[in-house]
């Protein structure tokens, strides 16, 4: 009977260690969200200050940057959780994307209305900070999913 208890405790200990490792692995690298934020800020500037060709290239650039950031994330952490395939956290990602698109549209409209480039730069900073805030809450949400239920 004692033997079973020791094995059970060892198993529970191993499970807890595995869960702690999983929680650490879903914490994004420090550079991940700043890179995405800078890419979105560049997209804002392209849409507000440029023509169709530059806008198209900027969309392609954001896609390339996002894929490279994902690869780097996988290389550093060994795993990656996609925002649009993360269960209930998917809604957080959809909300962020809607806000980001709204920021890009608002920045473009304001810049066009004012006739000066400064609104585009302000909105580029706004979208950078939106991305950093989203990243913090996304990581927190994924970590909560992995945290064991307390009884």
């Amino acid at each position: 009977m004692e033997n079973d208890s020791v094995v059970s405790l060892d198993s529970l200990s191993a499970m807890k260690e595995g869960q702690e490792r999983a929680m650490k692995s879903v914490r994004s690298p420090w550079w991940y969200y700043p890179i995405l934020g800078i890419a979105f800020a560049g997209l804002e500037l392209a849409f507000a200050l440029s023509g169709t060709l530059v806008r198209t290239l900027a969309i392609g650039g954001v896609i390339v940057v996002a894929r490279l950031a994902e690869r780097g994330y996988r290389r550093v952490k060994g795993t990656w959780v996609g925002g649009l395939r993360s269960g209930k956290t998917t809604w957080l990602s959809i909300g962020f994307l809607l806000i980001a698109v709204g920021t890009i549209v608002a920045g473009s409209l304001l810049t066009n209305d004012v006739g000066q480039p400064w609104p585009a730069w302000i909105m580029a900073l706004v979208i950078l900070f939106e991305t950093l805030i989203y990243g913090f809450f996304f990581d927190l949400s994924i970590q909560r999913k992995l945290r064991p239920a307390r009884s």
Side-chain angles (χ1 to χ4, degrees):
M1 196 69 140
E2 254 182 287
N3 229 2
D4 290 340
S5 296
V6 171
V7 170
S8 296
L9 288 174
D10 287 345
S11 296
L12 287 173
S13 178
M15 286 173 53
K16 184 177 179 184
E17 288 174 19
Q19 204 162 27
E20 288 172 1
R21 277 195 310 269
M23 284 180 65
K24 286 180 184 174
S25 72
V26 296
R27 209 173 296 142
S28 298
W30 66 268
W31 48 263
Y32 183 71
Y33 289 107
I35 285 175
L36 293 181
I38 290 168
F40 278 123
L43 189 63
E44 163 61 43
L45 293 173
F47 268 77
L49 302 175
S50 302
T52 306
L53 177 62
V54 173
R55 291 174 184 170
T56 305
L57 292 173
I59 290 170
V62 168
I63 292 169
V64 168
V65 166
R67 293 296 298 178
L68 289 173
E70 176 191 338
R71 282 186 186 166
Y73 189 117
R74 284 181 195 268
R75 188 170 293 136
V76 169
K77 295 292 185 172
T79 186
W80 179 77
V81 178
L84 298 176
R85 294 184 180 150
S86 56
K88 291 181 182 178
T89 309
T90 298
W91 291 107
L92 181 66
S93 299
I94 290 171
F96 163 70
L97 289 174
L98 291 174
I99 290 170
V101 168
T103 303
I104 290 170
V105 170
S108 297
L109 292 174
L110 278 170
T111 302
N112 190 37
D113 190 47
V114 172
Q116 297 288 321
W118 61 266
W121 288 96
I122 290 172
M123 295 307 262
L125 285 175
V126 167
I127 202 165
L128 171 63
F129 286 114
E130 288 171 357
T131 307
L132 296 175
I133 292 167
Y134 158 75
F136 172 78
F137 283 109
F138 183 82
D139 285 354
L140 190 65
S141 178
I142 295 297
Q143 287 172 356
R144 272 195 198 133
K145 283 173 136 182
L146 294 173
R147 196 169 294 142
R150 296 183 186 201
S151 47

